[in-house]
Amino acid sequence: MNPILSHFENGVLTLTLNRVEKKNSLTSAMYAELAQALDSAQTDTQTKVVLIQGHETVFSAGNDIADFLQQPAAGEDSPVFRFLRGLALFPKPLIASVCGPAVGIGTTLLLHCDLVYAGDNAAFSMPFVNLGLCPEAGSSLLAVQLMGHQRAAEALLLGEPFLAETALEMGLVSRVLPPTEVNAYAQQQARKMAAKPMSSLLETKRLMKASFTPQVLERIKQEGVVFARMLKEPAAIEAFSAFMEKRKPVFN
Ligand code: COA
């Protein structure tokens, strides 16, 4: 079964994370597929809006840790960086529909979306500090901009999860719905948007993002350098070994 399902209808490209048995954790191959889908959607004139969704029980558990250990992201041409750059530079509206856990990149990718709809079972977390790592996807900049320093610190320095209502209040999420209704609602909103004039959508999004995009790209790069270094350090090695061995990590 393909771990990324792709469906095009009424101007909306829907990308569904479809690896529920591994909690939609993202492998290098999945990042490559997502990056390619965003690239094609950018140039395809029929595609007006992209919607990224998961399952009603889980959005994504973040990086696939086993895959990550086998093939750590190396450099700016790696699939994960191509995906992150694709997200940050995506010129058309990007919508996400999120239910259940959204861990690591499952949350940080949302910071690049124009609209995010969440199920009332959504649980967001950016637990990089618990893994001996640092933030990625520009989240050290975007989370602070969105939440303010103190709340971003709870999420990034304590690695504390937060629920849908808090995400709504912070402005990470535009609306909270029952999990069985979120994907359909997000689809409806995406189609509503896709019916609007493409030139207006493109110019409006470009103007909304113009002053931030260069900073975000620079931050993604800076975070990537630190993240790659930290991956090889003892704290991350212990955190990942503990995950694979299904035990709690012990940090010195
Ligand atoms: N990478 C690789 N495999 C993962 C994974 C990940 N990030 N997250 C979950 N899985 C796998 C589990 O190992 C398990 O596999 P198994 O059935 O072969 O043992 C399966 O997915 C189900 O996960 P499980 O932990 O049993 O589900 P849960 O409902 O109890 O918990 C989560 C769901 C998302 C809260 C939990 O899986 C989790 O915390 N995952 C790790 C998140 C993380 O640290 N991500 C890295 C961010 S950089």
Side-chain angles (χ1 to χ4, degrees), residues 21-23 25 61-65 101 103-104 128 131 243 246:
E21 72 288 358
K22 291 287 180 187
K23 303 289 164 186
S25 55
N63 280 309
D64 179 305
I65 291 175
V103 186
F128 306 109
L131 298 168
F243 180 82
K246 298 191 187 284

Side-chain angles (χ1 to χ4, degrees), residues 10-228:
N10 293 329
V12 179
L13 174 70
T14 304
L15 300 171
T16 304
L17 308 179
N18 181 41
R19 195 176 175 238
V20 178
E21 72 288 358
K22 291 287 180 187
K23 303 289 164 186
N24 285 340
S25 55
L26 296 165
T27 60
S28 203
M30 289 165 78
Y31 283 125
E33 205 166 321
L34 288 168
Q36 180 55 49
L38 288 184
D39 265 5
S40 311
Q42 180 169 340
T43 47
D44 174 29
T45 51
Q46 298 303 307
T47 303
K48 307 283 182 54
V49 174
V50 171
L51 168 63
I52 301 178
Q53 65 184 19
H55 186 259
E56 61 189 53
T57 60
V58 63
F59 181 62
S60 173
N63 280 309
D64 179 305
I65 291 175
D67 181 74
F68 204 43
L69 289 174
Q70 279 165 13
Q71 35 189 349
E76 289 187 34
D77 287 331
S78 61
V80 64
F81 282 102
R82 283 196 283 119
F83 174 56
L84 295 180
R85 255 198 324 273
L87 276 179
L89 288 170
F90 195 65
K92 299 177 181 177
L94 199 52
I95 301 181
S97 170
V98 182
C99 293
V103 186
I105 198 156
T107 289
T108 59
L109 81 80
L110 306 176
L111 296 164
H112 297 273
C113 292
D114 301 297
L115 290 172
V116 180
Y117 296 109
D120 56 21
N121 61 346
F124 305 86
S125 60
M126 298 181 280
F128 306 109
V129 76
N130 300 335
L131 298 168
L133 295 171
C134 71
E136 38 82 312
S139 55
S140 60
L141 179 70
L142 294 169
V144 174
Q145 270 177 358
L146 182 77
M147 306 173 185
H149 185 87
Q150 306 291 338
R151 292 217 276 192
E154 273 191 337
L156 289 171
L157 283 175
L158 274 175
E160 291 215 326
F162 51 95
L163 301 178
E165 285 304 324
T166 307
L168 182 67
E169 189 211 325
M170 284 171 177
L172 176 64
V173 156
S174 353
R175 186 157 178 177
V176 178
L177 296 127
T180 49
E181 294 172 20
V182 190
N183 285 356
Y185 184 79
Q187 187 66 231
Q188 178 193 312
Q189 295 297 86
R191 287 184 186 186
K192 208 196 277 181
M193 211 179 251
K196 305 208 183 278
M198 195 63 222
S199 54
S200 285
L201 292 175
L202 288 171
E203 291 298 357
T204 304
K205 178 160 175 174
R206 185 180 66 75
L207 290 163
M208 286 169 80
K209 294 237 172 189
S211 9
F212 310 115
T213 304
Q215 285 176 54
V216 172
L217 289 171
E218 182 54 31
R219 185 60 61 92
I220 290 174
K221 215 191 270 185
Q222 288 169 359
E223 289 171 348
V225 171
V226 182
F227 196 97

